[in-house]
């Protein structure tokens, strides 16, 4: 019927059945097809001639590398069914071609906001940790010492000791270790990105370590303390987790007026049962307002 009415170029065929899509392509070469079931990689779809990955958004969150593969193989990306702001923003940030939703007004509002902030964006820094060994010293430095950093921490921070930080199989590993050679019996690292930025978006993908007493964090401090020492020049905590509270992750802003010393910090926590078992993407959108 689609061919009869000359509508092939206006039609997208979607199915949970992989074999059905292959049969459609046999009957109508060049038809636009998208697969729904979420168990095929973009590379597999490309090989079969299927044009799109139309998966539940959780599939892409479990397999974020498929987003990059889809771009490389010219596979369209659609996610369903997305009705919450956080997931909509995540899909927009990852430049999905379509979002299936019951809340079109919300998607339109978030898309307009995203375009206003990031319409002219360009990538200024990316680190995928694909080179095995130690992190690139041209990109990363280390805060060192065992003075507790004002937080009564027990670990001594090493200058990139390979026992504490290394890259393997495309992943950066940061480890806190029992270390009798250190003053208080522990060692770890504080990695510092050398390239700073003002405004834009940063995404950090991480799986957190489990254990009482651990305090993994991703946070931003100024390159120059223009307005004075902490907290006058500010701090943005993109992600903090404490081991005695294993099901929550926190996001916090510190300033002279709002900080934890005064118990006035601006903070928010969210619940997740998979902080230690899955990778999550922690994102910051920073604009002048």
């Amino acid at each position: 019927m689609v061919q009869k009415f000359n509508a092939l170029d206006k039609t997208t065929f979607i199915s949970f059945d992989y074999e059905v899509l292959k049969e459609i392509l046999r009957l109508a070469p060049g038809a636009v097809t998208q697969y729904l079931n979420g168990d095929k990689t973009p590379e597999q779809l490309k090989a079969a001639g299927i044009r799109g990955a139309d998966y539940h958004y959780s599939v892409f969150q479990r397999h974020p590398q498929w987003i990059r593969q889809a771009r490389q193989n010219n596979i369209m990306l659609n996610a369903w069914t997305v009705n919450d702001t956080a997931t909509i923003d995540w899909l927009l940030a990852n430049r999905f071609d379509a979002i299936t939703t019951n809340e079109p007004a919300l998607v339109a509002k978030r898309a307009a906001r995203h375009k206003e902030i990031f319409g002219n964006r360009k990538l200024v820094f990316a680190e995928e940790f694909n080179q095995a060994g130690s992190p690139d010293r041209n990109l990363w430095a280390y805060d060192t010492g065992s003075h507790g950093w004002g937080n009564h921490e027990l670990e001594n921070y090493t200058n990139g000791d390979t026992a504490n930080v290394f890259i393997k199989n495309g992943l950066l590993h940061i480890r806190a270790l029992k270390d009798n050679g250190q003053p208080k019996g522990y060692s770890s690292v504080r990695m510092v990105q050398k390239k700073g930025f003002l405004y834009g978006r940063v995404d950090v993908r991480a799986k957190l370590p489990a254990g009482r007493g651990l305090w993994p964090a991703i946070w931003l401090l100024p390159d120059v303390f223009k307005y004075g020492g902490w907290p006058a020049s500010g701090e943005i905590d993109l992600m903090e987790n404490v081991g005695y509270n294993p099901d929550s992750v926190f996001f916090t802003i510190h300033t002279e007026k709002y900080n934890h010393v005064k118990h006035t910090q601006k903070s928010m926590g969210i619940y997740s049962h998979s902080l230690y078992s899955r990778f999550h993407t922690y994102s910051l959108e920073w604009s002048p307002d």
Side-chain angles (χ1 to χ4, degrees), residues 207-218:
K207 183 169 69 172
L208 307 184
R212 189 175 180 88
L214 296 182
W215 187 1
I218 305 165

Side-chain angles (χ1 to χ4, degrees), residues 109-282:
K109 180 180 178 181
R110 301 306 294 182
R113 176 183 178 276
H114 187 88
K115 184 177 181 181
E116 179 182 358
I117 297 175
F118 302 107
N120 297 316
R121 69 178 181 171
K122 62 179 180 179
L123 183 65
V124 296
F125 178 84
E127 170 66 292
E128 299 293 345
F129 299 109
N130 290 322
Q131 186 66 44
S134 296
D136 187 345
R137 293 271 180 168
N138 293 314
L139 303 178
W140 302 98
Y142 299 92
D143 286 336
T144 58
S146 59
H147 44 69
W149 295 93
N151 300 314
H152 309 291
E153 300 171 27
L154 299 180
E155 65 269 33
N156 182 75
Y157 289 112
T158 66
N159 187 23
D161 191 307
T162 54
N164 299 120
V165 59
F166 57 90
I167 300 168
K168 183 178 180 181
N169 297 329
L171 295 175
L172 173 72
H173 299 258
I174 296 177
R175 303 203 303 172
L177 301 173
K178 286 186 176 181
D179 189 339
N180 293 330
Q182 302 298 342
K184 297 183 179 179
Y186 297 90
S187 65
S188 189
V189 293
R190 283 171 52 121
M191 288 184 66
V192 182
Q193 180 190 339
K194 287 185 174 182
K195 184 177 179 60
F197 74 99
L198 178 67
Y199 307 137
R201 181 184 175 98
V202 58
D203 296 293
V204 182
R205 181 170 171 259
K207 183 169 69 172
L208 307 184
R212 189 175 180 88
L214 296 182
W215 187 1
I218 305 165
W219 76 107
L220 295 86
L221 287 172
D223 292 327
V224 178
F225 283 75
K226 180 178 179 180
Y227 302 103
W230 188 96
S233 294
E235 175 182 339
I236 303 174
D237 294 325
L238 175 54
M239 184 288 300
E240 289 187 288
N241 169 258
V242 286
Y244 66 81
N245 197 0
D247 60 2
S248 297
V249 64
F250 296 91
F251 315 92
T252 309
I253 298 289
H254 297 282
T255 68
E256 180 68 31
K257 185 176 182 180
Y258 301 105
N259 61 77
H260 72 265
V261 176
K262 296 179 179 178
H263 305 289
T264 57
Q265 78 271 13
K266 299 294 185 179
S267 185
M268 182 178 181
I270 62 171
Y271 167 81
S272 173
H273 66 279
S274 58
L275 298 173
Y276 305 145
S277 59
R278 282 177 48 191
F279 281 86
H280 293 271
T281 301
Y282 301 95

Side-chain angles (χ1 to χ4, degrees), residues 13-21 33-42 44-45 50 52-60 62-63 66 76 78-80:
F13 299 90
I14 63 174
S15 178
F16 284 97
D17 193 308
Y18 199 61
E19 297 304 318
V20 163
L21 295 178
T33 54
Q34 295 191 13
Y35 184 49
L36 291 163
N37 205 45
D39 60 348
K40 303 293 185 183
T41 69
Q44 290 174 308
L45 299 181
I50 296 170
D54 190 350
Y55 296 162
H56 190 267
Y57 66 88
S58 63
V59 174
F60 295 111
R62 289 196 303 272
H63 303 286
W66 287 5
M76 292 182 291
N78 184 31
W80 50 268

